[in-house]
Amino acid sequence: MLIDTNKCVACANCVPVCPMGAIYVDTTINRARINQDECVECGTCFRGMSQEHLNPTMVRTVRKLARLFRFRFEPEPDVCPTAAFVMNDLEMPRLVRQVFSDPVVEHKSTGIKGRGTEEVKTNDVNPRVDVGEVGYTIEFGRPGVGVRFRDIQEMTMSLADIGVQFEEKNPISHLMTDKSSGTLRDDILNEKILSGIVEIKTRLDQVERVLTTVEDVNRQIDTVTAVGISTRCDSEGEETHLAELLEELGYGAERAKTNMGLGRLTNMEAA
Amino acid sequence: MTNTLHRYGKSSSFRDDFIVFCIPSAGKNDQGAVERQKAFLRICAKYEPVNMGNGNRGSFKPERHLDPRSHWTRDLSPDWEGVIAGVSKPGTVAAVFDSKEKAEACLRDVIEADLGLSVNVSTSVTGAKEVAECCGIPRHSVEYSLGFTDPHDHLPNSQVLALSTMCGHGMVSFNMARKMLDMVREGRRTTEQAVATLARFCPCGVYNPARARRLLEEARKQTA
């Protein structure tokens, strides 16, 4: 992401908009700038803000006058008055930032936007997790912190050490050079993304070990994690095994995503 | 692509937060999914959702050519038709409801329509179970959120976190949520204006304006 300095009027509306806090006003040039190392190419500034197309010189003059008289300038908080953001073309390895951070960009490895995972949202037509099995979505970086791939690799390598099975149709699995060791491509390790999800599957009796590993590794890497843990309900729609185990282990689950089982195979070849 | 799982709050805080979404699976039921996704959204629109989205845009959206004269009269109403018309390829479409009753009524109609797409409900664990029971269907699978783990103290206070995490892709920044809280407290923006501002940043349309309104009002009154 770039800011056109010919257009920017340093109104600073975009500063709080950035989920990574990567935008600041450079007072030496009186323009907003983006810390490119911290920017994750999520597109929030470009896409999320409404754009006006005002004349920059006129806006700067008005702002100078307002400042001179100590008027409080109170613009709409989500507007870039001069449409100064420019979404530039990206190449690898920087491209992974956008692919993992911009929710309207589709992952080519899975054909899904966002974090690129189906999880158990389609478990009724695309079975991933069966009764007695447990699926995990281990998400890094969100909310509002971000993560570098080298930190994700710390986790994938530790998980590989305890013998978990990585989900094939997952964008991070797609970037692994060796799934048995959990290593990721060298060229992306320093790239920062808004969030990424590692998906694994184990038996019920491995839950404690996996969650302990996640907590241990999280202490060593400078980001936040959010774990989703899933299983299939029985024929009556009941699920007690995993819920009881989580309670026993001290994890209170307040919220859940529940697949209502309404999907069916409708594609000719699938049916 | 909704990622509605990890919203910050206790179970009771999701009493006005019910997201119903449908998703096709590539190679399984994605042929002809676009029309069925539109049918799903049309059903949802009948039950007074507070937001809807098609994966590219929500019913509150930023404008590419905003007229500066409209600063004082910005449209704060949701645009359902734009969301439905904007479904162009198989993907997740979603509707957000502010009550269990509306979500149940909508789901009953969705079951009746037999669209063949996977349908999920994202809310409290008990809320989703009650919705399924009320509609007479067994739950197929459940994914529990274990919340956020933050050993390095990166995360802000609970009010900011609750407002920010309603965009599951993190497009509503902590600083923007904080700014809206401040502007409402200081009387510089109405709650409605602040809510619309936050919702416009969520391109999936799963941000819950009703819950955001309640959270902002609660925060405002706390400082009174």
Side-chain angles (χ1 to χ4, degrees), chain A residues 2-111:
Chain A
L2 302 171
I3 294 174
D4 184 341
T5 51
N6 292 320
K7 288 185 175 178
C8 178
V9 295
C11 69
N13 265 2
C14 54
V15 172
V17 163
C18 177
M20 292 292 99
I23 306 177
Y24 63 102
V25 172
D26 184 340
T27 51
T28 60
I29 57 170
N30 200 30
R31 299 286 186 275
R33 294 186 76 154
I34 299 173
N35 178 338
Q36 293 293 336
D37 188 46
E38 291 298 316
C39 170
V40 293
E41 306 287 354
C42 64
T44 303
C45 49
F46 176 80
R47 189 192 46 252
M49 297 182 84
S50 292
Q51 296 176 353
E52 292 170 335
H53 296 264
L54 301 178
N55 180 305
T57 307
M58 185 267 291
V59 177
R60 287 185 196 117
T61 306
V62 171
R63 287 178 54 79
K64 269 182 193 163
L65 281 170
R67 197 182 322 172
L68 184 67
F69 292 104
R70 293 286 192 272
F71 286 162
R72 184 173 208 171
F73 190 62
E74 188 84 332
E76 278 291 88
D78 60 332
V79 172
C80 178
T82 54
F85 282 91
V86 181
M87 195 176 248
N88 53 322
D89 288 334
L90 301 171
E91 292 179 0
M92 283 294 285
R94 193 169 176 89
L95 182 62
V96 292
R97 294 185 183 227
Q98 183 185 45
V99 172
F100 277 84
S101 307
D102 187 337
V104 304
V105 171
E106 192 172 280
H107 288 263
K108 285 189 177 151
S109 61
T110 60

Side-chain angles (χ1 to χ4, degrees), chain B:
Chain B
M1 61 154 289
T2 56
N3 211 296
T4 55
L5 182 59
H6 301 298
R7 295 192 166 191
Y8 182 83
K10 292 284 180 194
S11 183
S12 59
S13 174
F14 305 126
R15 62 186 180 275
D16 51 5
D17 189 45
F18 291 80
I19 300 145
V20 183
F21 63 92
C22 84
I23 174 172
S25 183
K28 307 290 182 184
N29 56 7
D30 58 336
Q31 288 171 0
V34 169
E35 281 312 309
R36 289 181 282 158
Q37 289 166 221
K38 287 184 178 181
F40 171 84
L41 288 173
R42 282 191 205 100
I43 291 169
C44 293
K46 288 195 293 184
Y47 294 96
E48 299 175 30
V50 290
N51 202 355
M52 293 205 314
N54 63 24
N56 278 320
R57 57 156 291 189
S59 46
F60 301 86
K61 76 175 182 69
E63 292 161 73
R64 294 292 88 181
H65 288 86
L66 185 69
D67 185 330
R69 292 169 299 181
S70 68
H71 275 235
W72 296 268
T73 57
R74 286 184 82 177
D75 186 8
L76 304 180
S77 55
D79 169 21
W80 310 137
E81 283 310 312
V83 171
I84 296 169
V87 180
S88 59
K89 58 192 292 192
T92 306
V93 294
V96 186
F97 297 95
D98 61 359
S99 80
K100 192 172 70 178
E101 290 71 26
K102 288 179 191 171
E104 281 169 1
C106 174
L107 190 62
R108 272 199 208 96
D109 218 350
V110 169
I111 295 168
E112 181 72 26
D114 189 22
L115 299 169
L117 301 171
S118 298
V119 174
N120 290 244
V121 175
S122 184
T123 181
S124 65
V125 178
T126 48
K129 192 166 186 282
E130 286 166 12
V131 169
E133 284 168 356
C134 186
C135 293
I137 53 171
R139 298 176 302 168
H140 184 279
S141 307
V142 59
E143 180 173 9
Y144 303 104
S145 166
L146 302 189
F148 306 111
T149 310
D150 178 29
H152 306 285
D153 289 333
H154 285 294
L155 298 181
N157 71 40
S158 59
Q159 291 170 339
V160 172
L161 208 48
L163 284 171
S164 169
T165 55
M166 279 196 283
C167 171
H169 291 110
M171 303 288 105
V172 175
S173 73
F174 295 153
N175 287 333
M176 199 64 192
R178 199 177 284 120
K179 184 172 179 176
M180 289 301 103
L181 278 163
D182 288 344
M183 288 185 108
V184 168
R185 281 172 176 152
E186 292 167 11
R188 292 158 59 194
R189 284 294 182 278
T190 65
T191 308
E192 289 304 318
Q193 289 168 332
V195 164
T197 299
L198 294 170
R200 280 192 283 264
F201 282 97
C202 173
C204 301
V206 295
Y207 199 83
N208 184 336
R211 183 166 181 252
R213 192 178 301 119
R214 176 171 60 79
L215 293 169
L216 282 165
E217 280 299 317
E218 286 171 2
R220 188 174 64 84
K221 285 171 188 164
Q222 244 178 28
T223 57

